[in-house]
Amino acid sequence: MKHEEKIIAKNKRAFHEYEVLDRFEAGIELKGTEVRSLRDNNCQLTDAFVTIRNGEAWLHNLHIAPFVNGNINNVDSDRKRKLLLHKKEIRQLQEAVKEKGMAIVPLKMYFAKNALVKVEIAIARGKKLFDKRASMAARDSRREIERALKERSR
């Protein structure tokens, strides 16, 4: 049987708000019935962000809804969660964030091939308003070109 990545949640807003510079894959420390809830795709990444404190990476504002058939093992749905990264990666992230306008944002959460929950995080620079408009215009023009080529090939 072939195992593929199963995407739990994507942060589409991050690509609109930020220019992604570098990506990292991180494990996440979960408790109780959170994995069961993630299997039901009960997760929201939109307002999530990463901070680094005392040499550890923490994911804030990740909302994992409580498991429906859960019991006393259900934990707070908006608690901060520890990200599992190598020390070298944490140092890289810490150095990048010291620069003005840089942030660490989660891009997507997924089940890896070995059934572990992974989070793809990125070092990103905030976009200005004119950058957002330019990227929207480029996306629209790319869509128009694809439509024209599709019509032409019919």
Side-chain angles (χ1 to χ4, degrees):
M1 187 175 200
K2 201 173 193 181
H3 292 287
E4 295 180 9
E5 289 181 354
K6 180 189 173 216
I7 295 177
I8 300 167
K10 279 187 176 180
N11 190 355
K12 294 178 184 176
R13 186 172 166 199
F15 290 102
H16 180 71
E17 298 286 330
Y18 299 97
E19 174 190 352
V20 176
L21 302 176
D22 198 7
R23 297 172 187 233
F24 296 90
E25 181 184 62
I28 185 168
E29 187 178 79
L30 299 171
K31 293 182 180 176
T33 56
E34 289 180 323
V35 176
R36 288 179 153 198
S37 184
L38 289 175
R39 291 203 186 281
D40 296 336
N41 289 349
N42 291 332
C43 177
Q44 185 178 5
L45 275 175
T46 39
D47 295 329
F49 62 96
V50 177
T51 59
I52 297 178
R53 298 254 165 85
N54 301 328
E56 295 178 335
W58 294 92
L59 182 62
H60 296 268
N61 289 352
L62 170 68
H63 179 78
I64 298 176
F67 184 56
V68 177
N69 298 326
N71 51 18
I72 58 169
N73 294 329
N74 280 346
V75 292
D76 181 25
S77 58
D78 292 322
R79 70 183 182 87
K80 64 180 184 177
R81 293 165 178 87
K82 186 176 178 180
L83 292 178
L84 308 173
L85 290 159
H86 293 283
K87 285 183 183 178
K88 180 182 172 184
E89 292 173 330
I90 292 174
R91 270 185 261 138
Q92 257 183 319
L93 291 169
Q94 201 167 17
E95 289 300 316
V97 173
K98 285 182 182 177
E99 195 176 319
K100 186 178 178 186
M102 302 293 271
I104 308 170
V105 292
L107 300 179
K108 69 178 179 178
M109 184 178 248
Y110 58 94
F111 285 106
K113 294 176 183 173
N114 54 1
L116 296 175
V117 179
K118 300 288 183 177
V119 180
E120 184 178 351
I121 60 175
I123 298 171
R125 179 180 290 122
K127 283 185 182 177
K128 304 283 187 218
L129 182 60
F130 61 86
D131 289 336
K132 292 178 190 176
R133 288 181 185 155
S135 63
M136 287 186 341
R139 186 178 63 230
D140 290 343
S141 65
R142 193 171 46 246
R143 278 189 194 148
E144 289 298 322
I145 292 169
E146 287 174 6
R147 273 193 204 122
L149 289 174
K150 189 175 178 182
E151 285 295 322
R152 187 175 172 202
S153 66
R154 283 189 179 178

